[in-house]
């Protein structure tokens, strides 16, 4: 059973805009359970729920929604909230959303992003629609071939949280050319 069924009054709390109670009710929910709740709510109530979640949890919950639901939700959110979500989304999920939007809507969403995130989004959108480039993530770990194992591990500890996946580490030369890939278990 979904967790929101355990809180029969949660929708009433959302409608009443009781933010302190909403935060208490939702504090232990998972992103999947929150997404399940969101699909049962009108867009304006969805926005209230996301506003009362920690940013990472709001983004994770948002990413579980279908692109059409994401688009409707972004339209009712305050620009600052929408910008926060868009900037924190994984690049490949964000690309999937942006390619579903009309050109005008996509351009508006791009304008909300930080220059760095906009650059990443535009670079992924430049790949043709059915190409693997649209599905790639730019968030990966690349290390230099002359680094020691200790240097690589230190780099992973420092930068690993920014990587979408850590099961493969890419080894590059001075020019950024891929020399090898190493599975973490190796």
């Amino acid at each position: 059973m979904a967790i929101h069924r355990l809180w029969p009054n949660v929708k009433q709390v959302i409608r009443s805009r009781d933010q302190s109670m909403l935060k208490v009710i939702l504090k232990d929910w998972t992103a999947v359970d929150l997404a399940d709740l969101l699909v049962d709510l009108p867009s304006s109530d969805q926005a209230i729920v996301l506003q009362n979640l920690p940013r990472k949890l709001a983004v994770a919950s948002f990413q579980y929604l279908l692109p059409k639901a994401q688009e409707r939700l972004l339209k009712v959110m305050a620009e600052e909230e929408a910008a926060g979500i868009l900037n924190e989304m994984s690049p490949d999920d964000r690309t999937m959303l942006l390619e579903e939007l009309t050109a005008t809507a996509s351009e508006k969403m791009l304008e909300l992003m930080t220059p760095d995130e906009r650059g990443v989004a535009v670079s992924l959108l430049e790949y043709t629609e059915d190409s693997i480039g649209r599905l790639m993530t730019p968030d990966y770990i690349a290390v230099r071939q002359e680094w020691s194992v200790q240097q690589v591990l230190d780099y992973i500890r420092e930068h690993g949280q920014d990587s979408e996946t850590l099961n493969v580490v890419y080894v590059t030369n001075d020019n950024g050319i891929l020399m090898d890939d190493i599975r973490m278990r190796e």
Side-chain angles (χ1 to χ4, degrees), residues 12-81:
Q12 179 57 39
V13 172
I14 294 167
R15 282 190 291 274
S16 72
R17 306 298 194 249
D18 184 346
Q19 294 183 0
S20 59
M21 178 60 82
L22 190 57
K23 287 177 182 175
V24 169
I25 291 171
L26 301 178
K27 72 179 171 87
D28 295 323
W29 286 35
T30 66
V32 173
D33 289 329
L34 285 162
D36 189 34
L37 169 67
L38 290 172
V39 297
D40 290 337
L41 298 173
S43 297
S44 59
D45 289 349
Q46 291 175 351
I48 295 299
V49 170
L50 291 182
Q51 288 171 358
N52 284 284
L53 297 174
R55 178 58 52 96
K56 280 189 166 204
L57 184 56
V59 171
S61 302
F62 181 85
Q63 289 182 144
Y64 276 107
L65 300 174
L66 295 173
K68 290 293 181 196
Q70 291 174 335
E71 179 182 3
R72 284 191 302 275
L73 182 50
L74 286 171
K75 286 180 180 177
V76 299
M77 295 175 81
E79 280 192 4
E80 183 178 306
E81 285 292 317

Side-chain angles (χ1 to χ4, degrees), residues 86 98 105-113 118 121-122 125:
L86 290 166
L98 293 172
S106 183
E107 190 60 41
K108 182 178 180 188
M109 294 301 130
L110 287 167
E111 289 173 7
L112 295 175
M113 291 183 222
R118 185 180 317 116
V122 167
L125 287 169

Side-chain angles (χ1 to χ4, degrees), residues 141 152-161 166 169 184:
I141 295 290
V152 169
L153 291 174
D154 290 344
Y155 185 82
I156 290 171
R157 283 186 191 102
E158 185 177 339
H159 300 283
Q161 69 277 5
L166 274 177
V169 174
M184 285 299 288

